Amino acid sequence: RVILRSALFLLLVSLHTSTAFFQLKVYFPLLFILLFIMYSATAKICLCAAATAAYISSNGAGVSAFSIETSRRVMLEKVTGAGAAALIGISSAATIAPSPAQASGGATAGGAYLLSAKQRYNSRVTAGVKGFLALSGPLEGGSIAEAKAFLSSEGEGGWGDFKSAGYLLSNAFRRSSSTAPDSLPSVKAWKAFAAEVEKMQKAADKKSKSGVGDAYKKAEVLLDSYLELVELPPSIEISRS
């Protein structure tokens, strides 16, 4: 009986420290065999109940901990997988779909500034172009009165507003905010055009019809280069609109 009790004690210790597999397959059956050999029916029932409760309590925490850890691991794998898929999708979309800057030739702040500039200045520039092109007929007829009115006007469609909006629109076509405005092709084209218009102004102040006419013809040629760089229709299309 002493030997059986010692074996029972060692079995209980092993039961508490062993893995679930050995508890279920080896130690737990041996425990019940020893209990039935050693004690009476009542003691056997009590000991069996106690052993079962000890087994459940000792393994419940481990099983719960294992279940929690497993759940956490599964959830992490799901979240990580979903996150990776999302990142891959975003990366693919960014690679395939051109940004506003790429689609429109490039601009500061990923195209936002360019889009805003187009909304603010396109209509004003278009009105200025129409006002400028309307001078062709009168100049060919020898009149500079219309040219003087255009050059002195500050309203939309006049040179004052056209000069401001035309430069601001040309300055929006940049790929980096650190790019110097004077290095932009659109700004260079605008300044070349504006320089000829300013010559028209000086010639008009001197009442030189030939001077106004010559400067106008040069400016007219340069205008289309500017319009192309700021993504507006050619002057002939604007004049017909």
Side-chain angles (χ1 to χ4, degrees), residues 2-203:
V2 174
I3 295 174
L4 289 174
R5 287 179 179 177
S6 299
L8 176 61
F9 174 76
L10 292 175
L11 184 60
L12 288 172
V13 173
S14 300
L15 177 65
H16 182 71
T17 58
S18 63
T19 63
F21 174 81
F22 281 98
Q23 289 173 354
L24 292 174
K25 299 297 183 180
V26 180
Y27 295 124
F28 208 53
L30 289 177
L31 174 63
F32 278 95
I33 293 172
L34 288 173
L35 288 174
F36 275 93
I37 294 174
M38 293 174 58
Y39 299 100
S40 64
T42 303
K44 291 173 185 176
I45 293 172
C46 294
L47 287 172
C48 285
T52 303
Y55 171 78
I56 294 173
S57 62
S58 64
N59 287 280
V63 171
S64 299
F66 175 80
S67 300
I68 293 171
E69 182 63 27
T70 302
S71 299
R72 288 177 180 174
R73 186 181 302 110
V74 171
M75 181 62 69
L76 180 60
E77 289 174 354
K78 289 182 178 179
V79 172
T80 304
L87 289 175
I88 292 172
I90 292 172
S91 176
S92 299
T95 302
I96 296 172
S99 66
Q102 292 172 328
S104 59
T108 306
Y113 178 68
L114 175 59
L115 294 176
S116 176
K118 284 185 172 184
Q119 293 172 354
R120 284 181 291 174
Y121 306 129
N122 272 8
S123 61
R124 292 169 57 189
V125 170
T126 300
V129 170
K130 289 182 177 181
F132 174 80
L133 295 175
L135 303 178
S136 178
L139 288 175
E140 289 179 358
S143 173
I144 62 171
E146 293 78 6
K148 285 184 177 181
F150 169 79
L151 293 168
S152 61
S153 174
E154 296 294 332
E156 188 170 305
W159 175 238
D161 185 69
F162 185 19
K163 178 168 60 176
S164 174
Y167 173 76
L168 291 172
L169 180 59
S170 69
N171 189 39
F173 283 78
R174 58 173 69 198
R175 294 187 179 277
S176 171
S177 58
S178 61
T179 303
D182 289 342
S183 66
L184 299 174
S186 53
V187 171
K188 291 179 180 179
W190 169 257
K191 287 189 172 183
F193 166 75
E196 294 301 325
V197 177
E198 294 298 333
K199 290 179 182 179
M200 287 177 59
Q201 178 73 67
K202 292 179 180 179

